Amino acid sequence: MLYLPESPSAPKSASVTPDPIQTYFTIEGSLQDQYTHEPIAFGSVGIGEAAIGTITNQNGEFRLKLPDSLRLSKVRFSHIGYLPQEIDSRKLIDKHTVLSLEPKVISIQEVIVRLANPKRLLQEMLDERRSNYSQHPIYLTTFYREGVERKKGLVGLTEAVFKVYKASYHSNALADQVKLLKMRHISNEQEKDTLITKMKSGIYSCLVLDLMKQLPEFLNPSPDSPYTYAHTDITVVDDRLANVISFEQRKSINEPLYRGQIYIDTENNALLRVDFEVTPQYIEQAAGMFVARKSRNLRITPQKVAYTVSYKQWNGTYYINHIRGDLHFKIKKRRQLFNTNILHTWFEMVTCKIDTTNVNRFSRIESLPTRTVFSDTHFNYDEGFWGDFNVIIPEEKLNEAISRITSKIEETNY
């Protein structure tokens, strides 16, 4: 949700918790298509048995820091439509490795061809919900970031590490809690006297976008559903075949809903991924859904709003893996013919570690408000910590923008 205050709001306080000292080794490189050499964005990189990992950025780049205890482990690389690859971590240490994934070509002999009813596939997915997803509370250690770009230049970037209390999957997503562990913020001082733009409820969006907990209408089709469905493909996700279901709003619906693709495991009916966006034809009608507050002399028109949600299996159970939202707006001052601003806001959260032991709810003091402007949260910058935690490497354009920022990261004594 976009938030354009007429004046900056006061920062809010949040507690930070020290982490135990560990020693790490680093692997880094990039993921690409074996034949086209195009970068593979949002590919999974991690060690399955340890439930530790990250994702590649939009340039296919990754950096993964692992504790020394995992030096003998294998690192797994995967993405939708490709054969996964596992490599001994010792072969990747202290070098920049370019890894190529081979596209998965599904031969007709591998699949029993049948007429697939998309609504039936969705219902089977819902029927297997209890067996595929956790019925007990869990902790997720996650990396979160949100940013604002104006005219393709960075206005602000906020990154954080959360400990997320995830209630069981038969509970509502609003039962989830977030505890702030670490945080850092970069802002462009040159934007101070121009358009003040902040993102509100980015963390809350990551909670409700756990689609298997907060079932959206397009995942739970009823006889009077406003959506139409079609089985459009079979692909591979993490070495497992997946049915691809495309959906869009009915032609008779004249309000902003969604369209996209749903990926469902052909064997166990687990939801693996959803890519969806607000229907472009009605995107301009959706301004009220995404703009919380704005100055009276501004006209804000959404241009594109798209989301990606993926799940990953660990020990036979599926957990939320990656959530990303991209919101593009056109902003113009009223009674001015020119001076239009193109604004891009985004948020994403990736699961870095899963913990299923001794899981308890956070106290009210520890729990972080999720509907606020997170970039206004007060924090103590811990330089040493950020060198040892897994983050998503900024894309090339984002790196260029950061290098132009004159202000430095806020640093206070920890």
Side-chain angles (χ1 to χ4, degrees):
M1 183 177 292
L2 193 64
Y3 174 69
L4 288 93
E6 298 183 17
S7 59
S9 57
K12 300 179 181 180
S13 61
S15 59
V16 292
T17 303
D19 294 311
I21 297 175
Q22 293 191 60
T23 55
Y24 296 82
F25 66 96
T26 302
I27 62 172
E28 62 180 338
S30 59
L31 208 57
Q32 65 178 23
D33 185 288
Q34 178 174 313
Y35 301 114
T36 67
H37 304 300
E38 291 293 320
I40 298 176
F42 307 141
S44 294
V45 182
I47 297 182
E49 65 269 22
I52 296 176
T54 187
I55 61 169
T56 61
N57 67 10
Q58 295 191 66
N59 292 328
E61 300 167 327
F62 67 89
R63 182 184 298 119
L64 184 63
K65 287 187 175 289
L66 298 166
D68 282 338
S69 59
L70 296 178
R71 280 183 177 267
L72 301 180
S73 300
K74 290 186 179 296
V75 182
R76 183 179 177 88
F77 303 86
S78 63
H79 191 272
I80 287 179
Y82 292 88
L83 290 171
Q85 187 176 158
E86 288 189 343
I87 298 180
D88 192 323
S89 63
R90 291 173 296 181
K91 296 180 180 179
L92 304 172
I93 299 175
D94 296 331
K95 62 178 68 173
H96 187 280
T97 307
V98 178
L99 292 158
S100 298
L101 294 186
E102 180 182 357
K104 171 68 173 180
V105 178
I106 302 173
S107 64
I108 196 70
Q109 290 81 9
E110 292 184 50
V111 184
I112 299 175
V113 180
R114 59 175 176 161
L115 182 62
N117 185 315
K119 286 192 174 183
R120 179 181 56 78
L121 293 176
L122 286 170
Q123 187 58 54
E124 290 174 350
M125 177 198 72
L126 296 176
D127 292 342
E128 298 294 331
R129 190 178 174 199
R130 283 184 171 269
S131 58
N132 284 326
Y133 301 89
S134 178
Q135 298 305 303
H136 305 283
I138 59 172
Y139 283 141
L140 301 178
T141 303
T142 67
F143 170 65
Y144 172 86
R145 72 174 181 174
E146 62 181 41
V148 178
E149 289 181 347
R150 175 175 172 264
K151 295 181 179 179
K152 297 184 179 181
L154 188 68
V155 176
L157 174 67
T158 303
E159 298 178 320
V161 177
F162 297 143
K163 190 168 187 177
V164 180
Y165 170 87
K166 277 280 181 185
S168 63
Y169 271 82
H170 56 74
S171 303
N172 191 284
L174 300 181
D176 296 349
Q177 294 178 296
V178 175
K179 179 180 179 181
L180 175 62
L181 300 181
K182 301 289 180 180
M183 179 179 175
R184 64 181 176 183
H185 177 68
I186 303 172
S187 60
N188 190 343
E189 292 295 324
Q190 295 177 356
E191 297 286 344
K192 199 175 231 183
D193 298 323
T194 59
L195 183 66
I196 300 173
T197 312
K198 298 180 181 180
M199 178 180 294
K200 185 177 181 181
S201 301
I203 304 171
Y204 173 78
S205 296
C206 286
L207 298 183
V208 298
L209 281 171
D210 188 345
L211 301 180
M212 290 309 292
K213 295 194 67 173
Q214 195 83 3
L215 284 174
E217 197 171 20
F218 58 73
L219 282 186
N220 193 14
S222 59
D224 57 347
S225 172
Y227 292 97
T228 60
Y229 301 87
H231 182 269
T232 54
D233 201 359
I234 295 178
T235 188
V236 64
V237 180
D238 279 339
D239 206 24
R240 299 186 65 86
L241 289 178
N243 287 303
V244 183
I245 299 173
S246 297
F247 67 93
E248 61 182 13
Q249 66 186 78
R250 293 185 180 276
K251 303 299 182 183
S252 58
I253 305 296
N254 299 316
E255 59 182 89
L257 296 180
Y258 299 100
R259 71 176 187 182
Q261 292 78 42
I262 303 166
Y263 299 80
I264 299 176
D265 193 296
T266 59
E267 182 178 342
N268 60 25
N269 301 314
L271 178 67
L272 304 177
R273 179 182 174 116
V274 183
D275 298 319
F276 64 106
E277 65 175 343
V278 176
T279 304
Q281 182 180 352
Y282 302 104
I283 185 66
E284 292 189 6
Q285 298 179 26
M289 298 167 58
F290 306 107
V291 180
R293 187 194 300 178
K294 67 181 182 68
S295 176
R296 292 182 177 181
N297 67 336
L298 292 178
R299 180 178 179 182
I300 302 176
T301 307
Q303 300 295 291
K304 182 177 182 179
V305 176
Y307 304 97
T308 293
V309 179
S310 68
Y311 293 84
K312 194 170 185 179
Q313 189 182 44
W314 179 60
N315 287 348
T317 301
Y318 285 86
Y319 301 95
I320 192 73
N321 179 50
H322 178 227
I323 296 171
R324 181 176 172 105
D326 287 274
L327 297 82
H328 301 261
F329 300 91
K330 181 170 66 176
I331 301 180
K332 186 177 181 180
K333 289 186 177 181
R334 297 186 185 276
R335 295 185 295 276
Q336 284 192 6
L337 296 178
F338 306 103
N339 196 28
T340 298
N341 291 288
I342 303 301
L343 201 68
H344 173 209
T345 68
W346 81 91
F347 60 87
E348 65 184 325
M349 186 166 70
V350 61
T351 297
C352 300
K353 187 177 180 181
I354 302 168
D355 191 356
T356 59
T357 59
N358 300 319
V359 179
N360 297 292
R361 291 185 63 83
F362 303 134
S363 68
R364 180 176 297 183
I365 297 177
E366 292 178 307
S367 184
L368 180 73
T370 60
R371 294 178 180 265
T372 59
V373 176
F374 180 60
S375 60
D376 282 344
T377 301
H378 176 72
F379 67 98
N380 293 327
Y381 176 67
D382 186 344
E383 184 175 7
F385 170 84
W386 286 100
D388 286 332
F389 194 82
N390 290 311
V391 301
I392 305 170
I393 299 177
E395 293 84 49
E396 181 179 351
K397 291 182 179 179
L398 185 56
N399 266 325
E400 292 175 357
I402 291 175
S403 68
R404 294 196 300 268
I405 292 177
T406 56
S407 63
K408 65 177 181 178
I409 296 176
E410 178 182 349
E411 295 185 17
T412 56
N413 293 327
Y414 176 65

